[in-house]
mmCIF file of all heavy atoms in Angstrom:
data_model
loop_
_atom_site.group_PDB
_atom_site.id
_atom_site.type_symbol
_atom_site.label_atom_id
_atom_site.label_comp_id
_atom_site.label_asym_id
_atom_site.label_seq_id
_atom_site.Cartn_x
_atom_site.Cartn_y
_atom_site.Cartn_z
ATOM 1 N N TYR A 1 57.856 103.479 79.573
ATOM 2 C CA TYR A 1 56.957 103.259 80.724
ATOM 3 C C TYR A 1 57.111 104.468 81.710
ATOM 4 O O TYR A 1 56.294 104.635 82.562
ATOM 5 C CB TYR A 1 57.312 102.060 81.460
ATOM 6 C CG TYR A 1 57.156 100.746 80.607
ATOM 7 C CD1 TYR A 1 58.267 100.333 79.863
ATOM 8 C CD2 TYR A 1 55.978 100.119 80.547
ATOM 9 C CE1 TYR A 1 58.141 99.201 79.049
ATOM 10 C CE2 TYR A 1 55.845 98.951 79.762
ATOM 11 C CZ TYR A 1 56.937 98.520 79.005
ATOM 12 O OH TYR A 1 56.845 97.388 78.210
ATOM 13 N N GLY A 2 58.122 105.290 81.540
ATOM 14 C CA GLY A 2 58.398 106.400 82.360
ATOM 15 C C GLY A 2 58.126 107.795 81.758
ATOM 16 O O GLY A 2 57.186 107.884 80.845
ATOM 17 N N SER A 3 58.854 108.780 82.085
ATOM 18 C CA SER A 3 58.608 110.149 81.655
ATOM 19 C C SER A 3 59.767 110.629 80.759
ATOM 20 O O SER A 3 60.905 110.470 81.096
ATOM 21 C CB SER A 3 58.587 111.098 82.918
ATOM 22 O OG SER A 3 58.462 112.483 82.553
ATOM 23 N N VAL A 4 59.332 111.244 79.632
ATOM 24 C CA VAL A 4 60.369 111.716 78.671
ATOM 25 C C VAL A 4 59.915 113.170 78.306
ATOM 26 O O VAL A 4 58.806 113.425 77.929
ATOM 27 C CB VAL A 4 60.340 110.926 77.411
ATOM 28 C CG1 VAL A 4 61.327 111.469 76.421
ATOM 29 C CG2 VAL A 4 60.678 109.438 77.698
ATOM 30 N N LYS A 5 60.857 114.079 78.542
ATOM 31 C CA LYS A 5 60.602 115.488 78.234
ATOM 32 C C LYS A 5 61.777 116.158 77.469
ATOM 33 O O LYS A 5 62.893 116.021 77.799
ATOM 34 C CB LYS A 5 60.341 116.299 79.496
ATOM 35 C CG LYS A 5 60.071 117.791 79.239
ATOM 36 C CD LYS A 5 59.786 118.450 80.565
ATOM 37 C CE LYS A 5 59.496 119.965 80.412
ATOM 38 N NZ LYS A 5 59.372 120.617 81.748
ATOM 39 N N HIS A 6 61.433 116.750 76.296
ATOM 40 C CA HIS A 6 62.424 117.492 75.483
ATOM 41 C C HIS A 6 63.687 116.611 75.213
ATOM 42 O O HIS A 6 64.795 117.067 75.584
ATOM 43 C CB HIS A 6 62.791 118.801 76.115
ATOM 44 C CG HIS A 6 63.472 119.792 75.211
ATOM 45 N ND1 HIS A 6 64.768 120.115 75.228
ATOM 46 C CD2 HIS A 6 62.981 120.484 74.140
ATOM 47 C CE1 HIS A 6 65.133 120.935 74.278
ATOM 48 N NE2 HIS A 6 64.015 121.187 73.612
ATOM 49 N N SER A 7 63.453 115.443 74.635
ATOM 50 C CA SER A 7 64.561 114.534 74.445
ATOM 51 C C SER A 7 64.372 113.813 73.138
ATOM 52 O O SER A 7 63.348 113.811 72.541
ATOM 53 C CB SER A 7 64.651 113.497 75.571
ATOM 54 O OG SER A 7 64.926 114.166 76.744
ATOM 55 N N VAL A 8 65.473 113.180 72.619
ATOM 56 C CA VAL A 8 65.452 112.399 71.408
ATOM 57 C C VAL A 8 65.727 110.932 71.842
ATOM 58 O O VAL A 8 66.867 110.645 72.412
ATOM 59 C CB VAL A 8 66.532 112.840 70.415
ATOM 60 C CG1 VAL A 8 66.576 111.880 69.242
ATOM 61 C CG2 VAL A 8 66.208 114.266 69.996
ATOM 62 N N ILE A 9 64.776 110.039 71.619
ATOM 63 C CA ILE A 9 64.891 108.637 71.982
ATOM 64 C C ILE A 9 64.987 107.830 70.703
ATOM 65 O O ILE A 9 64.109 107.794 69.930
ATOM 66 C CB ILE A 9 63.650 108.198 72.812
ATOM 67 C CG1 ILE A 9 63.348 109.192 73.912
ATOM 68 C CG2 ILE A 9 63.881 106.786 73.288
ATOM 69 C CD1 ILE A 9 64.419 109.356 74.928
ATOM 70 N N SER A 10 66.138 107.130 70.595
ATOM 71 C CA SER A 10 66.442 106.477 69.292
ATOM 72 C C SER A 10 65.830 105.110 69.232
ATOM 73 O O SER A 10 65.093 104.560 70.187
ATOM 74 C CB SER A 10 67.930 106.347 69.212
ATOM 75 O OG SER A 10 68.579 107.674 69.144
ATOM 76 N N VAL A 11 66.002 104.417 68.122
ATOM 77 C CA VAL A 11 65.466 103.132 67.814
ATOM 78 C C VAL A 11 65.787 102.104 68.892
ATOM 79 O O VAL A 11 66.885 101.956 69.373
ATOM 80 C CB VAL A 11 65.976 102.666 66.467
ATOM 81 C CG1 VAL A 11 65.473 101.212 66.235
ATOM 82 C CG2 VAL A 11 65.452 103.598 65.338
ATOM 83 N N GLY A 12 64.724 101.341 69.348
ATOM 84 C CA GLY A 12 64.936 100.171 70.148
ATOM 85 C C GLY A 12 65.302 100.416 71.622
ATOM 86 O O GLY A 12 65.952 99.528 72.223
ATOM 87 N N CYS A 13 64.920 101.505 72.180
ATOM 88 C CA CYS A 13 65.284 101.852 73.510
ATOM 89 C C CYS A 13 64.110 101.519 74.492
ATOM 90 O O CYS A 13 62.943 101.447 74.128
ATOM 91 C CB CYS A 13 65.559 103.359 73.708
ATOM 92 S SG CYS A 13 67.064 103.950 72.777
ATOM 93 N N THR A 14 64.427 101.263 75.723
ATOM 94 C CA THR A 14 63.526 100.936 76.768
ATOM 95 C C THR A 14 63.654 101.908 77.946
ATOM 96 O O THR A 14 64.762 102.126 78.436
ATOM 97 C CB THR A 14 63.646 99.523 77.325
ATOM 98 O OG1 THR A 14 63.505 98.599 76.234
ATOM 99 C CG2 THR A 14 62.581 99.213 78.388
ATOM 100 N N ILE A 15 62.568 102.540 78.303
ATOM 101 C CA ILE A 15 62.635 103.457 79.429
ATOM 102 C C ILE A 15 61.664 102.966 80.512
ATOM 103 O O ILE A 15 60.407 102.933 80.296
ATOM 104 C CB ILE A 15 62.274 104.926 79.026
ATOM 105 C CG1 ILE A 15 63.277 105.395 77.916
ATOM 106 C CG2 ILE A 15 62.171 105.854 80.153
ATOM 107 C CD1 ILE A 15 62.912 106.685 77.266
ATOM 108 N N GLY A 16 62.248 102.504 81.595
ATOM 109 C CA GLY A 16 61.457 101.838 82.668
ATOM 110 C C GLY A 16 60.475 102.712 83.443
ATOM 111 O O GLY A 16 60.550 103.900 83.389
ATOM 112 N N LYS A 17 59.659 102.043 84.197
ATOM 113 C CA LYS A 17 58.627 102.654 85.059
ATOM 114 C C LYS A 17 59.270 103.612 85.997
ATOM 115 O O LYS A 17 60.268 103.229 86.714
ATOM 116 C CB LYS A 17 57.785 101.628 85.740
ATOM 117 C CG LYS A 17 56.563 102.149 86.496
ATOM 118 C CD LYS A 17 55.838 100.964 87.096
ATOM 119 C CE LYS A 17 54.543 101.433 87.788
ATOM 120 N NZ LYS A 17 53.573 102.053 86.928
ATOM 121 N N GLY A 18 58.774 104.825 86.119
ATOM 122 C CA GLY A 18 59.333 105.781 87.039
ATOM 123 C C GLY A 18 60.565 106.467 86.619
ATOM 124 O O GLY A 18 61.034 107.308 87.348
ATOM 125 N N ALA A 19 61.161 106.068 85.551
ATOM 126 C CA ALA A 19 62.387 106.713 85.063
ATOM 127 C C ALA A 19 62.068 108.076 84.492
ATOM 128 O O ALA A 19 60.870 108.283 83.970
ATOM 129 C CB ALA A 19 63.029 105.850 83.992
ATOM 130 N N ILE A 20 63.008 109.003 84.535
ATOM 131 C CA ILE A 20 62.830 110.372 84.054
ATOM 132 C C ILE A 20 63.965 110.686 83.086
ATOM 133 O O ILE A 20 65.186 110.572 83.392
ATOM 134 C CB ILE A 20 62.883 111.352 85.168
ATOM 135 C CG1 ILE A 20 61.653 111.072 86.163
ATOM 136 C CG2 ILE A 20 62.768 112.817 84.632
ATOM 137 C CD1 ILE A 20 61.708 111.988 87.406
ATOM 138 N N VAL A 21 63.596 111.073 81.880
ATOM 139 C CA VAL A 21 64.563 111.493 80.819
ATOM 140 C C VAL A 21 64.174 112.903 80.371
ATOM 141 O O VAL A 21 63.135 113.131 79.875
ATOM 142 C CB VAL A 21 64.576 110.529 79.670
ATOM 143 C CG1 VAL A 21 65.587 111.021 78.594
ATOM 144 C CG2 VAL A 21 64.870 109.133 80.099
ATOM 145 N N GLU A 22 65.084 113.806 80.576
ATOM 146 C CA GLU A 22 64.891 115.208 80.229
ATOM 147 C C GLU A 22 66.126 115.756 79.539
ATOM 148 O O GLU A 22 67.246 115.630 79.917
ATOM 149 C CB GLU A 22 64.572 116.035 81.484
ATOM 150 C CG GLU A 22 63.270 115.672 82.203
ATOM 151 C CD GLU A 22 63.019 116.493 83.419
ATOM 152 O OE1 GLU A 22 63.809 117.383 83.756
ATOM 153 O OE2 GLU A 22 61.897 116.337 84.028
ATOM 154 N N ASP A 23 65.844 116.534 78.448
ATOM 155 C CA ASP A 23 66.887 117.339 77.723
ATOM 156 C C ASP A 23 68.061 116.435 77.461
ATOM 157 O O ASP A 23 69.253 116.799 77.624
ATOM 158 C CB ASP A 23 67.417 118.451 78.632
ATOM 159 C CG ASP A 23 66.232 119.414 78.964
ATOM 160 O OD1 ASP A 23 65.650 120.030 77.975
ATOM 161 O OD2 ASP A 23 66.017 119.666 80.131
ATOM 162 N N SER A 24 67.819 115.225 76.855
ATOM 163 C CA SER A 24 68.829 114.196 76.622
ATOM 164 C C SER A 24 68.703 113.572 75.339
ATOM 165 O O SER A 24 67.603 113.587 74.670
ATOM 166 C CB SER A 24 68.826 113.196 77.777
ATOM 167 O OG SER A 24 69.166 113.750 78.960
ATOM 168 N N VAL A 25 69.815 113.009 74.863
ATOM 169 C CA VAL A 25 69.862 112.192 73.594
ATOM 170 C C VAL A 25 70.087 110.740 74.021
ATOM 171 O O VAL A 25 71.203 110.467 74.563
ATOM 172 C CB VAL A 25 70.908 112.772 72.650
ATOM 173 C CG1 VAL A 25 70.952 111.906 71.383
ATOM 174 C CG2 VAL A 25 70.664 114.218 72.384
ATOM 175 N N VAL A 26 69.197 109.850 73.668
ATOM 176 C CA VAL A 26 69.324 108.455 73.979
ATOM 177 C C VAL A 26 69.593 107.718 72.695
ATOM 178 O O VAL A 26 68.597 107.637 71.786
ATOM 179 C CB VAL A 26 68.100 107.934 74.717
ATOM 180 C CG1 VAL A 26 68.232 106.470 75.107
ATOM 181 C CG2 VAL A 26 67.846 108.787 76.005
ATOM 182 N N MET A 27 70.728 107.138 72.501
ATOM 183 C CA MET A 27 71.079 106.526 71.226
ATOM 184 C C MET A 27 70.460 105.099 71.112
ATOM 185 O O MET A 27 70.062 104.614 72.105
ATOM 186 C CB MET A 27 72.589 106.597 71.001
ATOM 187 C CG MET A 27 73.048 108.050 70.854
ATOM 188 S SD MET A 27 74.821 108.195 70.551
ATOM 189 C CE MET A 27 74.986 109.957 70.333
ATOM 190 N N PRO A 28 70.599 104.468 70.002
ATOM 191 C CA PRO A 28 69.853 103.196 69.762
ATOM 192 C C PRO A 28 70.244 102.076 70.780
ATOM 193 O O PRO A 28 71.396 101.987 71.158
ATOM 194 C CB PRO A 28 70.275 102.723 68.370
ATOM 195 C CG PRO A 28 70.614 103.987 67.687
ATOM 196 C CD PRO A 28 71.227 104.917 68.704
ATOM 197 N N GLY A 29 69.163 101.301 71.200
ATOM 198 C CA GLY A 29 69.433 100.081 71.969
ATOM 199 C C GLY A 29 69.676 100.381 73.492
ATOM 200 O O GLY A 29 70.016 99.424 74.145
ATOM 201 N N VAL A 30 69.477 101.524 73.938
ATOM 202 C CA VAL A 30 69.774 101.901 75.423
ATOM 203 C C VAL A 30 68.639 101.383 76.241
ATOM 204 O O VAL A 30 67.455 101.439 75.900
ATOM 205 C CB VAL A 30 69.956 103.427 75.577
ATOM 206 C CG1 VAL A 30 69.952 103.785 77.048
ATOM 207 C CG2 VAL A 30 71.177 103.899 74.872
ATOM 208 N N VAL A 31 69.040 100.888 77.437
ATOM 209 C CA VAL A 31 68.058 100.400 78.424
ATOM 210 C C VAL A 31 68.160 101.359 79.642
ATOM 211 O O VAL A 31 69.286 101.470 80.217
ATOM 212 C CB VAL A 31 68.268 99.004 78.842
ATOM 213 C CG1 VAL A 31 67.371 98.588 79.968
ATOM 214 C CG2 VAL A 31 68.004 98.064 77.600
ATOM 215 N N ILE A 32 67.096 101.947 80.063
ATOM 216 C CA ILE A 32 67.007 102.749 81.265
ATOM 217 C C ILE A 32 66.049 102.125 82.188
ATOM 218 O O ILE A 32 64.857 102.010 81.974
ATOM 219 C CB ILE A 32 66.606 104.229 80.935
ATOM 220 C CG1 ILE A 32 67.586 104.938 79.956
ATOM 221 C CG2 ILE A 32 66.514 105.106 82.182
ATOM 222 C CD1 ILE A 32 67.137 106.243 79.377
ATOM 223 N N GLU A 33 66.575 101.654 83.369
ATOM 224 C CA GLU A 33 65.736 100.926 84.211
ATOM 225 C C GLU A 33 64.896 101.768 85.106
ATOM 226 O O GLU A 33 65.046 102.988 85.136
ATOM 227 C CB GLU A 33 66.655 99.895 85.028
ATOM 228 C CG GLU A 33 67.281 98.908 84.186
ATOM 229 C CD GLU A 33 68.119 97.813 84.997
ATOM 230 O OE1 GLU A 33 68.337 98.056 86.167
ATOM 231 O OE2 GLU A 33 68.386 96.727 84.383
#
């Protein structure tokens, strides 16, 4: 629901509204509010 730039988002993750993920590795099952 948010913004993802130059990142790897793994299986089953949730990225909430207004969240920003940049230059990052998000492993399985992570929740970002």
